[in-house]
Amino acid sequence: MKKALVLTLILAVFLSFSPGALAGYSLAKPSAGQVIFIEADNALDYEAAFPLSALTGAFREGDDLRLEFPAARLTLKGFFSRLDEWRSISFAGGGSLGGADFDEEGRCTKSFHSVLDMEKRSDSPKSTGLGAESVTLRLSPYGTEVFVGDEVIWGELRERCIGAFAAVYPFEKPDWNSVLELRCQFLMGEDGSLEPVRFYSDFADGVSSEIINPARVCSVSSLQLLPLSEGRAVVSFSNRLGEKLLSADVLCRRDESGGLCVEYVCDSCGKVQSGSFHYLSCGHYSCDEGFDPTGHGIAECQTAGHCMSQQGHDRCSNCQQFVCNGQAHGSGLCQHEHNWVATSLISSRCVSCGFVYTRK
Protein backbone atom coordinates (compact mmCIF):
# COMPACT_ATOMS: atom_id res chain seq x y z
CA MET A 1 0.00 0.00 0.00
CA LYS A 2 2.79 2.39 0.97
CA LYS A 3 4.67 1.50 -2.21
CA ALA A 4 1.63 2.34 -4.32
CA LEU A 5 1.22 5.67 -2.51
CA VAL A 6 4.87 6.58 -3.14
CA LEU A 7 4.53 5.75 -6.83
CA THR A 8 1.40 7.87 -7.04
CA LEU A 9 3.19 10.86 -5.46
CA ILE A 10 6.17 10.47 -7.81
CA LEU A 11 3.82 10.38 -10.79
CA ALA A 12 2.01 13.50 -9.56
CA VAL A 13 5.29 15.41 -9.20
CA PHE A 14 6.43 14.29 -12.65
CA LEU A 15 3.18 15.37 -14.24
CA SER A 16 3.39 18.78 -12.58
CA PHE A 17 6.56 19.44 -14.59
CA SER A 18 5.53 17.65 -17.75
CA PRO A 19 4.73 19.75 -20.86
CA GLY A 20 1.78 17.48 -21.49
CA ALA A 21 0.35 17.85 -17.99
CA LEU A 22 -1.98 20.66 -19.06
CA ALA A 23 -3.86 21.29 -22.26
CA GLY A 24 -1.70 22.50 -25.14
CA TYR A 25 -1.52 26.19 -26.01
CA SER A 26 -1.86 27.01 -29.71
CA LEU A 27 0.23 29.93 -30.99
CA ALA A 28 -1.08 31.91 -33.94
CA LYS A 29 1.26 33.52 -36.44
CA PRO A 30 1.66 37.26 -35.69
CA SER A 31 0.40 39.78 -38.20
CA ALA A 32 2.81 42.08 -40.04
CA GLY A 33 4.27 44.70 -37.70
CA GLN A 34 3.29 42.90 -34.49
CA VAL A 35 5.78 42.46 -31.64
CA ILE A 36 4.25 39.97 -29.17
CA PHE A 37 5.46 38.87 -25.73
CA ILE A 38 3.86 35.87 -24.01
CA GLU A 39 4.62 34.81 -20.43
CA ALA A 40 5.55 31.16 -20.90
CA ASP A 41 6.98 30.26 -17.48
CA ASN A 42 4.62 27.31 -17.09
CA ALA A 43 4.23 23.66 -18.03
CA LEU A 44 1.96 24.11 -21.03
CA ASP A 45 2.68 22.23 -24.22
CA TYR A 46 3.02 24.94 -26.88
CA GLU A 47 2.03 24.13 -30.44
CA ALA A 48 2.41 26.59 -33.31
CA ALA A 49 -0.50 26.87 -35.72
CA PHE A 50 2.02 27.69 -38.46
CA PRO A 51 4.85 25.68 -40.07
CA LEU A 52 8.51 25.87 -39.11
CA SER A 53 9.18 27.33 -42.56
CA ALA A 54 7.25 30.48 -41.57
CA LEU A 55 10.20 31.57 -39.40
CA THR A 56 13.07 33.73 -40.59
CA GLY A 57 14.99 33.27 -37.34
CA ALA A 58 14.89 31.70 -33.89
CA PHE A 59 16.98 32.67 -30.85
CA ARG A 60 17.35 31.61 -27.23
CA GLU A 61 17.90 34.63 -24.96
CA GLY A 62 18.47 33.24 -21.47
CA ASP A 63 15.19 31.54 -20.61
CA ASP A 64 13.28 33.29 -23.42
CA LEU A 65 12.56 31.89 -26.89
CA ARG A 66 12.35 34.53 -29.65
CA LEU A 67 10.75 33.62 -32.96
CA GLU A 68 11.19 35.99 -35.90
CA PHE A 69 8.98 36.32 -38.96
CA PRO A 70 9.41 38.39 -42.13
CA ALA A 71 7.72 41.41 -40.51
CA ALA A 72 6.92 40.41 -36.93
CA ARG A 73 8.38 38.94 -33.74
CA LEU A 74 7.05 36.60 -31.04
CA THR A 75 8.86 36.09 -27.72
CA LEU A 76 7.94 33.35 -25.23
CA LYS A 77 9.26 34.74 -21.95
CA GLY A 78 10.57 32.18 -19.46
CA PHE A 79 9.99 29.35 -21.95
CA PHE A 80 13.09 27.39 -20.84
CA SER A 81 12.99 28.30 -17.15
CA ARG A 82 11.60 24.96 -15.97
CA LEU A 83 12.72 22.17 -18.25
CA ASP A 84 15.67 23.99 -19.86
CA GLU A 85 16.83 22.12 -22.99
CA TRP A 86 14.04 19.56 -22.63
CA ARG A 87 11.43 22.23 -23.35
CA SER A 88 10.30 22.38 -26.97
CA ILE A 89 7.64 23.78 -29.26
CA SER A 90 6.09 21.84 -32.13
CA PHE A 91 4.99 23.29 -35.46
CA ALA A 92 2.14 22.59 -37.85
CA GLY A 93 3.10 20.06 -40.48
CA GLY A 94 5.86 18.56 -38.31
CA GLY A 95 9.14 19.78 -36.87
CA SER A 96 10.00 21.30 -33.50
CA LEU A 97 12.48 23.55 -31.71
CA GLY A 98 13.95 22.80 -28.29
CA GLY A 99 16.74 23.91 -26.03
CA ALA A 100 19.19 21.50 -27.67
CA ASP A 101 18.70 23.26 -31.02
CA PHE A 102 20.59 26.41 -29.95
CA ASP A 103 24.32 27.04 -29.58
CA GLU A 104 26.07 28.79 -26.67
CA GLU A 105 25.28 32.20 -28.14
CA GLY A 106 21.58 31.37 -28.43
CA ARG A 107 21.50 31.01 -32.22
CA CYS A 108 19.40 28.27 -33.75
CA THR A 109 21.48 25.44 -35.24
CA LYS A 110 18.50 23.74 -36.84
CA SER A 111 17.86 24.20 -40.55
CA PHE A 112 14.56 25.74 -41.54
CA HIS A 113 13.48 27.52 -44.70
CA SER A 114 13.95 31.28 -44.67
CA VAL A 115 12.48 33.74 -47.15
CA LEU A 116 15.66 35.75 -46.65
CA ASP A 117 17.88 33.01 -48.18
CA MET A 118 16.27 32.05 -51.48
CA GLU A 119 17.94 29.89 -54.06
CA LYS A 120 18.88 31.21 -57.48
CA ARG A 121 16.06 30.97 -60.00
CA SER A 122 15.78 31.53 -63.75
CA ASP A 123 12.08 32.09 -64.36
CA SER A 124 9.47 33.38 -61.93
CA PRO A 125 10.27 34.18 -58.26
CA LYS A 126 10.61 31.02 -56.17
CA SER A 127 7.70 30.37 -53.83
CA THR A 128 8.44 30.70 -50.12
CA GLY A 129 5.56 28.53 -49.03
CA LEU A 130 3.98 31.60 -47.42
CA GLY A 131 1.96 32.72 -50.43
CA ALA A 132 4.53 35.44 -51.16
CA GLU A 133 7.90 35.90 -52.91
CA SER A 134 11.04 37.62 -51.68
CA VAL A 135 12.40 40.54 -53.72
CA THR A 136 15.35 42.71 -52.64
CA LEU A 137 16.29 46.20 -53.83
CA ARG A 138 19.85 47.40 -53.30
CA LEU A 139 20.78 51.07 -53.69
CA SER A 140 24.40 52.30 -53.69
CA PRO A 141 26.41 55.13 -55.27
CA TYR A 142 26.96 52.76 -58.21
CA GLY A 143 23.29 52.36 -59.04
CA THR A 144 20.11 50.45 -58.21
CA GLU A 145 19.72 46.68 -58.44
CA VAL A 146 16.69 44.45 -57.84
CA PHE A 147 17.20 40.77 -57.00
CA VAL A 148 15.16 37.63 -56.63
CA GLY A 149 17.58 35.20 -55.02
CA ASP A 150 20.91 35.83 -56.82
CA GLU A 151 19.37 36.91 -60.12
CA VAL A 152 19.12 40.56 -61.17
CA ILE A 153 15.57 41.50 -62.23
CA TRP A 154 14.68 44.03 -64.95
CA GLY A 155 11.50 45.35 -66.48
CA GLU A 156 8.17 46.05 -64.84
CA LEU A 157 8.97 44.34 -61.52
CA ARG A 158 12.11 46.42 -61.11
CA GLU A 159 10.18 49.65 -61.68
CA ARG A 160 7.50 48.65 -59.17
CA CYS A 161 10.17 47.86 -56.56
CA ILE A 162 11.77 51.27 -57.07
CA GLY A 163 8.36 52.88 -56.59
CA ALA A 164 7.69 50.81 -53.44
CA PHE A 165 11.12 51.76 -52.09
CA ALA A 166 10.24 55.46 -52.38
CA ALA A 167 7.34 54.87 -49.97
CA VAL A 168 9.69 53.77 -47.15
CA TYR A 169 12.61 56.12 -47.87
CA PRO A 170 11.61 59.76 -47.34
CA PHE A 171 14.42 61.40 -49.34
CA GLU A 172 14.87 61.84 -53.06
CA LYS A 173 18.34 60.33 -52.80
CA PRO A 174 20.71 59.35 -49.96
CA ASP A 175 23.63 61.45 -48.81
CA TRP A 176 26.42 59.24 -50.14
CA ASN A 177 28.92 60.99 -47.87
CA SER A 178 27.29 59.32 -44.88
CA VAL A 179 25.55 56.30 -46.46
CA LEU A 180 27.35 53.38 -48.12
CA GLU A 181 24.41 51.20 -49.13
CA LEU A 182 20.67 50.71 -48.61
CA ARG A 183 18.75 47.45 -49.02
CA CYS A 184 15.02 46.86 -48.77
CA GLN A 185 13.34 43.45 -48.80
CA PHE A 186 9.79 43.04 -50.07
CA LEU A 187 7.34 40.17 -50.02
CA MET A 188 5.42 39.97 -53.29
CA GLY A 189 1.94 38.55 -52.98
CA GLU A 190 0.11 36.50 -55.57
CA ASP A 191 -1.62 39.67 -56.75
CA GLY A 192 1.75 41.31 -57.41
CA SER A 193 1.58 43.66 -54.41
CA LEU A 194 4.88 44.50 -52.71
CA GLU A 195 5.04 44.64 -48.92
CA PRO A 196 8.25 46.07 -47.36
CA VAL A 197 9.35 43.79 -44.52
CA ARG A 198 13.00 44.65 -43.77
CA PHE A 199 15.21 47.65 -44.43
CA TYR A 200 19.01 47.63 -44.04
CA SER A 201 21.30 50.67 -43.96
CA ASP A 202 25.11 50.68 -43.95
CA PHE A 203 26.61 54.01 -42.86
CA ALA A 204 30.08 55.39 -43.53
CA ASP A 205 30.91 55.51 -39.81
CA GLY A 206 30.68 51.71 -39.59
CA VAL A 207 27.19 51.46 -38.09
CA SER A 208 24.55 49.29 -39.78
CA SER A 209 20.84 49.23 -39.01
CA GLU A 210 18.05 46.72 -39.59
CA ILE A 211 14.37 47.62 -39.38
CA ILE A 212 11.55 45.09 -39.28
CA ASN A 213 8.37 46.71 -40.65
CA PRO A 214 10.08 49.70 -42.32
CA ALA A 215 6.77 51.32 -43.26
CA ARG A 216 6.77 52.79 -39.73
CA VAL A 217 10.24 54.32 -39.29
CA CYS A 218 13.38 54.98 -41.32
CA SER A 219 17.00 54.95 -40.15
CA VAL A 220 18.33 58.22 -41.55
CA SER A 221 21.75 58.17 -39.82
CA SER A 222 23.63 56.26 -37.15
CA LEU A 223 21.38 55.64 -34.12
CA GLN A 224 18.68 58.03 -35.37
CA LEU A 225 15.17 57.33 -36.64
CA LEU A 226 12.63 59.28 -38.64
CA PRO A 227 8.89 58.46 -38.15
CA LEU A 228 6.93 57.56 -41.28
CA SER A 229 3.53 56.26 -40.16
CA GLU A 230 1.72 55.08 -37.04
CA GLY A 231 2.50 51.58 -35.82
CA ARG A 232 5.27 49.41 -34.39
CA ALA A 233 8.66 48.34 -35.70
CA VAL A 234 11.76 46.54 -34.43
CA VAL A 235 15.09 48.32 -34.90
CA SER A 236 18.63 47.08 -34.28
CA PHE A 237 22.06 48.62 -34.81
CA SER A 238 25.44 46.88 -35.13
CA ASN A 239 29.03 47.92 -35.83
CA ARG A 240 31.46 46.87 -38.58
CA LEU A 241 32.56 43.85 -36.53
CA GLY A 242 28.98 42.57 -36.41
CA GLU A 243 28.62 43.36 -32.69
CA LYS A 244 25.07 44.36 -31.76
CA LEU A 245 24.98 47.87 -30.32
CA LEU A 246 21.29 48.39 -29.64
CA SER A 247 17.96 46.68 -30.26
CA ALA A 248 14.62 48.32 -29.55
CA ASP A 249 10.90 47.85 -30.10
CA VAL A 250 9.68 51.26 -31.23
CA LEU A 251 6.23 52.80 -31.46
CA CYS A 252 5.45 55.50 -33.98
CA ARG A 253 2.42 57.55 -32.89
CA ARG A 254 0.80 60.97 -33.04
CA ASP A 255 1.75 63.43 -30.31
CA GLU A 256 -0.48 66.12 -28.79
CA SER A 257 0.21 68.48 -31.69
CA GLY A 258 -0.72 65.82 -34.26
CA GLY A 259 2.83 65.23 -35.45
CA LEU A 260 4.49 61.82 -35.63
CA CYS A 261 6.97 60.84 -32.95
CA VAL A 262 8.99 57.71 -32.14
CA GLU A 263 8.87 56.18 -28.65
CA TYR A 264 10.89 53.35 -27.17
CA VAL A 265 11.74 51.92 -23.74
CA CYS A 266 15.40 52.58 -22.88
CA ASP A 267 17.03 49.27 -21.95
CA SER A 268 19.31 51.08 -19.49
CA CYS A 269 17.01 53.32 -17.43
CA GLY A 270 13.75 51.53 -18.32
CA LYS A 271 11.91 54.76 -19.10
CA VAL A 272 9.82 55.52 -22.18
CA GLN A 273 11.72 57.93 -24.38
CA SER A 274 10.77 60.01 -27.40
CA GLY A 275 13.36 61.22 -29.86
CA SER A 276 17.06 60.33 -29.76
CA PHE A 277 18.34 57.15 -28.14
CA HIS A 278 20.13 57.34 -24.79
CA TYR A 279 22.69 54.97 -26.28
CA LEU A 280 25.79 56.78 -27.57
CA SER A 281 28.24 55.79 -30.30
CA CYS A 282 30.91 55.19 -27.64
CA GLY A 283 28.87 52.30 -26.24
CA HIS A 284 27.58 54.02 -23.11
CA TYR A 285 24.21 55.53 -22.17
CA SER A 286 23.68 59.21 -21.48
CA CYS A 287 21.12 58.23 -18.81
CA ASP A 288 23.65 56.24 -16.74
CA GLU A 289 23.97 57.57 -13.19
CA GLY A 290 26.78 60.09 -12.97
CA PHE A 291 27.54 59.91 -16.69
CA ASP A 292 30.00 62.61 -17.79
CA PRO A 293 30.61 62.90 -21.56
CA THR A 294 34.13 64.18 -20.88
CA GLY A 295 36.62 61.53 -21.92
CA HIS A 296 34.03 59.60 -23.92
CA GLY A 297 34.01 59.08 -27.66
CA ILE A 298 34.86 56.42 -30.23
CA ALA A 299 38.18 54.68 -29.55
CA GLU A 300 41.30 54.78 -31.72
CA CYS A 301 39.98 51.80 -33.71
CA GLN A 302 37.09 53.97 -34.92
CA THR A 303 34.61 51.17 -34.19
CA ALA A 304 31.19 52.19 -32.89
CA GLY A 305 30.55 50.88 -29.39
CA HIS A 306 34.27 50.94 -28.51
CA CYS A 307 35.01 53.84 -26.16
CA MET A 308 38.22 55.85 -25.84
CA SER A 309 37.84 55.55 -22.06
CA GLN A 310 38.52 51.79 -22.30
CA GLN A 311 41.76 49.90 -22.89
CA GLY A 312 42.36 47.31 -25.58
CA HIS A 313 41.45 49.28 -28.69
CA ASP A 314 44.96 50.20 -29.88
CA ARG A 315 47.03 48.69 -32.68
CA CYS A 316 48.94 45.43 -32.37
CA SER A 317 52.68 46.12 -32.69
CA ASN A 318 53.12 42.86 -34.61
CA CYS A 319 50.47 43.06 -37.37
CA GLN A 320 49.49 46.73 -37.11
CA GLN A 321 45.80 45.80 -36.87
CA PHE A 322 43.55 46.88 -34.01
CA VAL A 323 43.59 44.33 -31.20
CA CYS A 324 39.80 44.54 -30.74
CA ASN A 325 38.98 42.99 -34.12
CA GLY A 326 38.31 39.57 -32.59
CA GLN A 327 41.53 37.95 -33.87
CA ALA A 328 44.47 36.57 -31.88
CA HIS A 329 47.33 39.07 -31.53
CA GLY A 330 50.98 38.97 -30.56
CA SER A 331 54.23 37.53 -31.88
CA GLY A 332 53.57 34.08 -33.32
CA LEU A 333 49.80 34.60 -33.27
CA CYS A 334 49.29 37.13 -36.04
CA GLN A 335 51.17 37.85 -39.25
CA HIS A 336 53.84 40.48 -38.79
CA GLU A 337 53.48 43.69 -40.77
CA HIS A 338 56.55 45.95 -40.84
CA ASN A 339 56.07 49.48 -39.54
CA TRP A 340 58.76 51.39 -41.42
CA VAL A 341 60.44 54.59 -40.28
CA ALA A 342 63.07 56.26 -42.49
CA THR A 343 66.52 56.42 -40.88
CA SER A 344 68.39 57.85 -43.89
CA LEU A 345 67.86 58.60 -47.55
CA ILE A 346 68.37 54.93 -48.44
CA SER A 347 67.47 53.06 -45.25
CA SER A 348 64.31 52.34 -43.24
CA ARG A 349 63.88 50.53 -39.95
CA CYS A 350 60.84 48.61 -38.66
CA VAL A 351 60.07 50.02 -35.22
CA SER A 352 58.31 46.76 -34.31
CA CYS A 353 60.95 44.13 -35.03
CA GLY A 354 64.05 46.26 -35.65
CA PHE A 355 64.68 44.97 -39.17
CA VAL A 356 66.58 47.46 -41.34
CA TYR A 357 65.97 47.71 -45.07
CA THR A 358 68.54 49.47 -47.28
CA ARG A 359 67.83 50.32 -50.89
CA LYS A 360 70.76 49.68 -53.23
Side-chain angles (χ1 to χ4, degrees), residues 20-36:
L22 299 176
Y25 185 95
S26 180
L27 293 173
K29 180 184 174 183
S31 301
Q34 283 190 317
V35 179
I36 299 175

Side-chain angles (χ1 to χ4, degrees), residues 29 32 51-58 68-72 110-121 125-137 147-151 184-189 195-200 210 212-213:
K29 180 184 174 183
L52 182 62
S53 61
L55 302 179
T56 59
E68 291 194 350
F69 303 82
K110 200 165 188 175
S111 176
F112 54 86
H113 178 73
S114 170
V115 298
L116 301 181
D117 300 310
M118 297 183 63
E119 296 179 358
K120 184 176 181 179
R121 45 158 301 281
K126 183 177 178 65
S127 174
T128 64
L130 303 178
E133 327 296 345
S134 175
V135 185
T136 301
L137 181 146
F147 296 88
V148 174
D150 296 330
E151 184 178 347
C184 188
Q185 185 190 16
F186 302 91
L187 288 186
M188 185 171 68
E195 177 189 0
V197 291
R198 291 185 185 240
F199 195 105
Y200 303 88
E210 176 186 355
I212 299 176
N213 199 21

Side-chain angles (χ1 to χ4, degrees), residues 15 24 31 113 133 148 153 158 168 176 184 190 198 219 250 255 257 262 264 275 279 282 284 299 315 326 329 334:
L15 288 175
S31 301
H113 178 73
E133 327 296 345
V148 174
I153 298 299
R158 169 188 165 89
V168 293
W176 296 121
C184 188
E190 295 179 356
R198 291 185 185 240
S219 179
V250 301
D255 57 22
S257 63
V262 177
Y264 74 101
Y279 184 87
C282 66
H284 296 95
R315 289 185 183 273
H329 289 276
C334 55

Side-chain angles (χ1 to χ4, degrees), residues 101-284:
D101 296 319
F102 298 86
D103 61 20
E104 295 181 354
E105 297 181 356
R107 295 174 298 194
C108 184
T109 59
K110 200 165 188 175
S111 176
F112 54 86
H113 178 73
S114 170
V115 298
L116 301 181
D117 300 310
M118 297 183 63
E119 296 179 358
K120 184 176 181 179
R121 45 158 301 281
S122 58
D123 44 13
S124 60
K126 183 177 178 65
S127 174
T128 64
L130 303 178
E133 327 296 345
S134 175
V135 185
T136 301
L137 181 146
R138 182 170 67 192
L139 184 65
S140 74
Y142 307 103
T144 302
E145 296 177 301
V146 176
F147 296 88
V148 174
D150 296 330
E151 184 178 347
V152 178
I153 298 299
W154 301 92
E156 187 264 345
L157 176 57
R158 169 188 165 89
E159 296 305 314
R160 287 198 294 113
C161 280
I162 293 175
F165 176 85
V168 293
Y169 193 71
F171 304 105
E172 182 176 350
K173 66 178 183 178
D175 176 7
W176 296 121
N177 292 318
S178 60
V179 178
L180 298 179
E181 184 176 284
L182 301 174
R183 299 178 302 283
C184 188
Q185 185 190 16
F186 302 91
L187 288 186
M188 185 171 68
E190 295 179 356
D191 60 353
S193 60
L194 293 170
E195 177 189 0
V197 291
R198 291 185 185 240
F199 195 105
Y200 303 88
S201 303
D202 296 332
F203 297 102
D205 60 2
V207 174
S208 297
S209 68
E210 176 186 355
I211 299 176
I212 299 176
N213 199 21
R216 304 300 174 228
V217 294
C218 179
S219 179
V220 294
S221 62
S222 297
L223 302 173
Q224 294 206 1
L225 300 175
L226 180 70
L228 299 179
S229 65
E230 293 180 273
R232 294 186 178 275
V234 179
V235 182
S236 61
F237 296 91
S238 58
N239 62 21
R240 58 169 56 93
L241 298 180
E243 300 168 338
K244 181 173 287 188
L245 304 176
L246 175 69
S247 181
D249 300 328
V250 301
L251 170 65
C252 186
R253 67 172 186 85
R254 298 283 177 183
D255 57 22
E256 296 178 353
S257 63
L260 287 171
C261 66
V262 177
E263 291 184 344
Y264 74 101
V265 177
C266 176
D267 56 5
S268 179
C269 66
K271 297 180 180 179
V272 177
Q273 301 297 319
S274 179
S276 300
F277 290 105
H278 285 170
Y279 184 87
L280 305 174
S281 58
C282 66
H284 296 95

